[in-house]
Amino acid sequence: MAAKFAQLFADSRRALLTMLGIQAVIWSVQVLNWLDDYGLSREFGLRTEQVGDLPEMFTSPFLHFSWSHIEANSWPLFVLGFLSAYRGMRKFLLASLVIVVSGGLLVWLLESPNTVTAGASGMVYGYLGYVVLRGLLDRNVLDAVVGIVVAVVYSTILIGVLPVTPGVSWLGHLGGLIGGLAAAVLLRDRPAAKPAAPQGTAPTSPGSALLKQLDELGL
């Protein structure tokens, strides 16, 4: 039990430092973007229907179009990102990749022509879906409690996946949410396989006997 708590503490500390680092990058980029009259957003945001702009799905989450835009995204990104990462960085990074690609592709395919999309809100919705569904799928009490609390606290923002607010990329929100849900399914904890019941005494080959000896020696 002590070892589990120690690992949880280490993972939580790593998650906290990671999200602080991401926030530092986003806000530093925002200052440069503002000084450039948001030219970075126009240049490295995701433009629809242009194959050459597809890589910008990986840069657009770090860019915003105003101070109010980044302020609205920063706090939920920090909280939901931390809750997505505190159980391990490997799953967090894979979930982030799925969310970025899912949201980016939906925007690129379906957004109005020549529209430039930028902002971390797609990641916010992705982490929301990931945390809530992970709490339902994984057999972990802490994850379940976290998922329920997050679902209650952030349920009101789900209106953002509908086309109700002009100038807001609801497709990015929806794509991010879909990616988060998909990541929760793909990365869910699976129960350990039970050892097969013995079925008689079969002759042991020299190769299998050697492998067994190596396993016993820890090799």
Side-chain angles (χ1 to χ4, degrees):
M1 183 64 70
K4 289 184 178 180
F5 277 112
Q7 185 62 49
L8 180 61
F9 177 79
D11 288 339
S12 298
R13 181 176 180 274
R14 193 175 296 114
L16 177 62
L17 293 176
T18 297
M19 294 313 301
L20 288 174
I22 290 174
Q23 290 289 330
V25 171
I26 288 178
W27 280 87
S28 298
V29 170
Q30 169 64 13
V31 173
L32 297 175
N33 205 7
W34 172 69
L35 291 173
D36 191 40
D37 195 24
Y38 295 98
L40 293 177
S41 293
R42 293 190 295 271
E43 183 175 355
F44 296 102
L46 180 59
R47 192 177 303 275
T48 57
E49 298 181 351
Q50 297 189 24
V51 177
D53 278 359
L54 270 175
E56 269 72 6
M57 71 171 66
F58 298 103
T59 57
S60 59
F62 294 92
L63 301 165
H64 295 81
F65 286 108
S66 68
W67 290 104
S68 59
H69 189 196
I70 190 174
E71 289 168 4
N73 285 337
S74 290
W75 180 245
L77 177 67
F78 179 81
V79 173
L80 294 171
F82 171 79
L83 294 176
S84 298
Y86 82 96
R87 285 276 310 283
M89 293 305 302
R90 178 177 174 273
K91 284 189 176 183
F92 170 72
L93 294 174
L94 291 173
S96 299
L97 178 62
V98 173
I99 292 167
V100 167
V101 172
S102 174
L105 285 178
L106 198 64
V107 167
W108 186 78
L109 288 170
L110 301 180
E111 190 59 87
S112 302
N114 296 318
T115 299
V116 179
T117 300
S121 53
M123 302 303 296
V124 170
Y125 280 82
Y127 292 144
L128 172 63
Y130 178 70
V131 170
V132 172
L133 189 56
R134 181 186 66 184
L136 298 176
L137 294 178
D138 289 355
R139 297 179 180 181
N140 183 289
V141 175
L142 182 58
D143 279 353
V145 172
V146 168
I148 292 171
V149 172
V150 167
V152 172
V153 172
Y154 288 97
S155 60
T156 56
I157 74 171
L158 289 177
I159 190 67
V161 302
L162 301 175
V164 295
T165 306
V168 174
S169 178
W170 66 277
L171 285 168
H173 298 170
L174 179 60
L177 180 63
I178 292 172
L181 296 174
V185 174
L186 294 172
L187 302 174
R188 68 188 184 278
D189 289 340
R190 291 173 172 81
K194 296 181 180 180
Q199 299 180 357
T201 56
T204 303
S205 67
S208 61
L210 177 60
L211 289 174
K212 183 178 180 180
Q213 291 177 2
L214 292 175
D215 289 337
E216 292 175 350
L217 293 172
L219 301 176

